[in-house]
Amino acid sequence: MTSAALRSRAWKLLEMVTTPLLPSDYLDLVSPLRAGADLRGRIEAVHPETGDAATVVIRPGRAWRGHTAGQYVRVGVDVDGVRLWRAYSITSPTHRQDGRITITVKAIPDGKVSNHLVRRAKPGTLVQLDHPAGDFVLPRDKPAKVLYLTAGSGITPVMGMLRDIEFDDVVMVHSAPRPQDVIFRDELHDLVADEKMRLTEVHTDTDGMLDIARLDELVPDWAERETWACGPAGLLDAAEGHWTGHAIRERLHTERFRPGIVVAGDGGEVTFSATGKTVDANGATPLLDIGEEAGVLMPSGCRMGICFGCVTPLKAGAVRDLRTGEITEAEPGVLIQTCVSAAAGPCDIER
Amino acid sequence: MTAIDPTAHLTSEQIEELGRELDAIRDEVIADRGEKDAAYIRRVVSAQRRLELVSRGVLLFSMFPPAWLLGTAGLSVAKIMDNMEIGHNVLHGQWDWMRDPKIHSTTWEWDHVSPSEQWKHSHNELHHTYTNVIGKDNDLGYGIMRVDEDQKWHPFHLGQPLWNLINACFFEYGIAAYDLELGKNLHKRRRRTPEFRARARAVGRKIRKQVLKDYVIHPLLSGPSFLPTLAATFTANLVRNIWSHSVIMCGHFPEGVQVFERRSINGETRGQWYLRQMMGSANISGSRAMHFMTGNLSHQIEHHLFPDLPSNRYAEVAVKVRALFEKYELEYVTGPLPTQVFSAWRKVVRLSLPNKKPRVETPGGQQELVAL
Ligand code: FES
């Protein structure tokens, strides 16, 4: 018997010992970061960067496969007891000796996860991780000239790149409201002092928003540069227009922050994606009724919110709890009780 | 169906007002639910796992009597924790709000021969929706007992104290059979439906795994302690079964708890539903340890009003709920465990015999008395 087969036999036997739980349920008690465990990480330190941004040092579990500079990782954090998932760019270089990774988080107003990580997260806390993803990365072959165009926390993936690979000719244009809001400012200025980079800071509180037309003046040879841009949608839209206008769109790589914020309204178009039906729903009728009327096979039980027999994944959009008025937004893994939830805008129910 | 309707003094406006006050209690807990509650359930889950691990470890040496005693006691408590404070409550969705797939009603499996999925259907959907409605809530007597004077007596009922005792000892199997609706499905034709057969197979699989673990694998691991370990796991299962049976009997059987007639729930309002839960459940008073070991089902009344609130909050909710009982002049049935168990058993025995006095038909239709 091969050793793999032997191991799976042994594992089966162990499962018989621990049923109805799994052996991993017990192993997680002592070693949550071991090889073979679900991918998690442990927060080891939180370093403030600016007034509202901090770098979180995470020791990933053994299952971590490493990342490519510029990629992001989805992190599942328990905030007030509720597990919420957000994506953050990895700001540490890929060759960090101690195997730790860092994410740098800017607290956004009303941002549950970002405020928690910046202000409340404690070393020792476990977080859930996904494998790193994203194609906002550097190419295999080194470009001769590079431009990084960033704004606000758009600097985070680029910082991961800057720390990872040195290029011969790098220019960065970065905008932030005020000098003290520039994340990694000291490190950036060190790079400038060491002549590893040229930097233009735009302070929008005094200079106004960066007008993409000013690029000619700030970086005269911008069109010759391979460019990575990350920041708010306005900046990226302008950049894409500008590069396209000069017919060099392929030299621009962009990464967008969270696409569209969900606006919770009253009712909306409901898609039952497993069945492929779409119907209009008002904001007062339970989705269970909406689905049944549309001929979708909906699981149900008490129809009054107590049995949890109707829970169904919410894939997109938002719903309102008819009892409390609470809004639930779609996120991977979010389940809703269809008998007491109504559409709060367009949504996608996996039935 | 009881001689005197204890809610007769309430107007329908009052009942709706009562419903609103209960909703407010629920909203308050939900608004305040958070990190501390999550930490609580995680702590309980991890304590249960550690206790089970250590107890089973000790049982490896159960040929030594002190080890046997210690291991058996530990395993009994671990099994009770698994079924009561954790399993029952997780499967109610009480912790779904945490969005932790590891502590979630859709993924949880418990140390019990009834698979979670089936139990959730018969318990969460049927029992909790139709609490104490004769003919709809089969938890009333688990389909084998007479639980109310108005039910027709049959010589079969003479044996019900014995059935109840046997059911207590093998409670988990009773529940599995009950979840399968075995009684109803014993006719050949029904037994052949693919749906029933799939469910029966699921129960069979679960029983096989549970039995294999408790009565074969762990005793084998104990080597020379094979027989003592076998006896220990059997004892732990017995203790767990009798304990949960007792707790559950106390929830709906003691004297003073109302049962309802089928027609009485037609067009029931939210307030009326709440009132039925209040009159159909009974509590157990006692220490914090007692509440913990019953999975907070000692707060059965609060649990029936708010089955999806985290169990660790029932104690504080109970204070407010009890004040509402007083305000609306309703009887809050509660008492220490021995009293409640005795009361429930006395009822089982009493109803095993035909009614002493013939039923008095009150004018106006007794059947409608609890049609709120
Ligand atoms: S059908 Fe029971 S909770 Fe939705």
Side-chain angles (χ1 to χ4, degrees), chain B residues 194-227:
Chain B
E195 196 247 336
F196 174 76
R197 289 170 59 165
R199 289 198 296 133
R201 264 200 309 276
V203 175
R205 260 198 311 275
K206 189 80 196 286
I207 292 181
R208 202 163 50 240
K209 280 189 181 172
Q210 289 290 105
V211 166
L212 208 61
K213 164 175 95 156
D214 275 347
Y215 301 133
V216 179
I217 307 265
H218 283 278
L220 276 177
L221 286 174
S222 302
S225 296
F226 181 93
L227 282 178

Side-chain angles (χ1 to χ4, degrees), chain B residues 119-155:
Chain B
W119 182 82
K120 274 194 295 186
H121 171 71
S122 60
H123 181 83
N124 292 5
E125 291 179 19
L126 302 180
H127 168 58
H128 272 271
T129 312
Y130 302 114
T131 312
N132 287 26
V133 176
I134 290 198
K136 289 217 129 193
D137 176 6
N138 293 322
D139 274 31
L140 279 175
Y142 313 103
I144 50 173
M145 290 196 299
R146 182 167 174 255
V147 290
D148 189 81
E149 265 83 3
D150 282 5
Q151 281 174 300
K152 209 169 155 240
W153 182 85
H154 200 272

Side-chain angles (χ1 to χ4, degrees), chain A residues 288 299-311 323 336-341, chain B residues 124-125 129 308:
Chain A
L288 175 58
S300 72
C302 64
R303 312 185 73 93
M304 57 188 296
I306 60 164
C307 76
F308 288 67
C310 62
V311 292
R323 301 164 300 177
I336 53 158
Q337 290 169 277
T338 58
C339 70
V340 287
S341 303
Chain B
N124 292 5
E125 291 179 19
T129 312
D308 59 342

Side-chain angles (χ1 to χ4, degrees), chain A residues 17 19 38 83 120 323, chain B residues 26 35 98 102 213 218:
Chain A
V17 173
T19 189
D38 289 355
R83 182 155 306 162
R120 291 187 49 214
R323 301 164 300 177
Chain B
R26 180 176 185 278
E35 203 170 300
M98 287 164 51
K102 302 245 155 152
K213 164 175 95 156
H218 283 278

